[in-house]
């Protein structure tokens, strides 16, 4: 009896329900895409492309993860493909050393802020939801100003917690160029946030 229940549960875990994807997962996937590419129309398109790709690959779904996790993984690869597309050709033009003033902001060994240049606290009180929403809005606007390769690298590193090696491999940038990009993105975001938030 228990074995039959386990088999039925296992079969249910491997069964997809595409007719429910929009109602159950579209908002989550849209939010995931929007925070990574910062373009509402493109985020909607990517969610639709994710659903289409999932339908085409439905026979490969093994049920080792939930539908949402599986759909998110498909979307994640689509986002990385977009990063690659946006970064192609741009990577070679940014292959350079940090600007002279940039070197002082960060530790050359680990890429972290030097103590004397550490950004000031923004004074965000997490209990104030409206203020936090406003900060998120300004951060998104500042991120939109980053060049596409910088945005891709910064998002993969600090939002998706991807390993440096993975980012370099996926976006075809050298490790030294990766750190230059991260440094410049941080400096740019810091400057933008200080002008628009504080």
């Amino acid at each position: 009896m228990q074995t039959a229940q386990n088999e039925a549960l296992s079969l249910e875990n491997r069964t997809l329900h595409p007719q429910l994807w929009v109602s159950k997962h579209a908002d989550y996937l849209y939010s995931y895409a929007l925070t990574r590419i910062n373009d509402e129309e493109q985020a909607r398109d990517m969610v639709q492309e994710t659903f289409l790709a999932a339908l085409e690959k439905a026979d490969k779904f093994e049920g080792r993860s939930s539908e949402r996790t599986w759909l998110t993984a498909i979307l994640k690869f689509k986002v990385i493909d977009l990063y690659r597309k946006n970064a192609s050709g741009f990577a070679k033009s940014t292959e350079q050393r940090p600007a002279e003033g940039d070197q002082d902001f960060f530790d050359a060994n680990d890429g972290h802020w030097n103590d004397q240049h550490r950004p000031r606290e923004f004074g965000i009180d997490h209990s104030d939801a409206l203020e936090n929403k406003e900060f998120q809005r300004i951060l998104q606007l500042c991120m939109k100003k980053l060049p596409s390769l910088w945005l891709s690298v910064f998002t993969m590193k600090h939002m998706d917690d991807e390993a440096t090696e993975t980012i370099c491999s996926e976006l075809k940038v050298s490790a030294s160029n990766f750190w230059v990009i991260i440094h410049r993105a941080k400096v740019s975001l810091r400057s933008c946030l200080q002008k628009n938030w504080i």
Side-chain angles (χ1 to χ4, degrees), residues 1-143:
M1 180 80 162
Q2 186 68 24
T3 304
Q5 288 177 336
N6 288 344
E7 286 177 15
L9 187 58
S10 176
L11 182 59
E12 175 60 27
N13 288 341
R14 286 181 277 151
T15 304
L16 293 174
H17 302 283
Q19 69 278 13
L20 301 176
W21 286 352
V22 171
S23 62
K24 289 177 72 175
H25 308 298
D27 289 342
Y28 172 81
L29 294 172
Y30 173 74
S31 177
Y32 179 93
L34 186 60
T35 59
R36 283 151 181 83
I37 60 173
N38 214 359
D39 181 321
E40 292 178 6
E41 187 175 329
Q42 200 163 34
R44 281 191 289 274
D45 290 346
M46 291 189 91
V47 171
Q48 290 176 5
E49 290 172 18
T50 298
F51 289 149
L52 288 173
L55 284 172
E56 291 171 359
K57 299 175 184 179
D59 59 323
K60 295 187 178 13
F61 181 71
E62 297 176 358
R64 288 187 278 173
S65 63
S66 69
E67 270 184 336
R68 178 171 286 185
T69 301
W70 184 65
L71 291 168
T72 304
I74 294 170
L75 177 58
K76 179 180 177 182
F77 286 113
K78 293 200 167 295
V79 169
I80 289 172
D81 286 342
L82 178 68
Y83 289 164
R84 259 193 230 119
K85 179 181 156 204
N86 289 343
S88 66
F90 190 76
K92 286 186 175 60
S93 68
T94 60
E95 187 80 40
Q96 52 191 312
R97 296 181 180 270
E100 203 164 301
D102 291 354
Q103 295 174 355
D104 297 334
F105 285 118
F106 306 102
D107 183 295
N109 297 320
D110 63 10
H112 293 261
W113 291 99
N114 285 329
D115 289 336
Q116 66 271 27
H117 294 292
R118 189 171 305 282
R120 299 188 309 260
E121 292 290 325
F122 284 113
I124 298 173
D125 180 5
H126 292 289
S127 63
D128 187 349
L130 290 176
E131 190 172 293
N132 196 13
K133 270 187 166 179
E134 181 65 12
F135 175 79
Q136 291 296 324
R137 186 185 70 76
I138 291 170
L139 176 61
Q140 291 297 321
L141 289 173
C142 289
M143 288 177 70

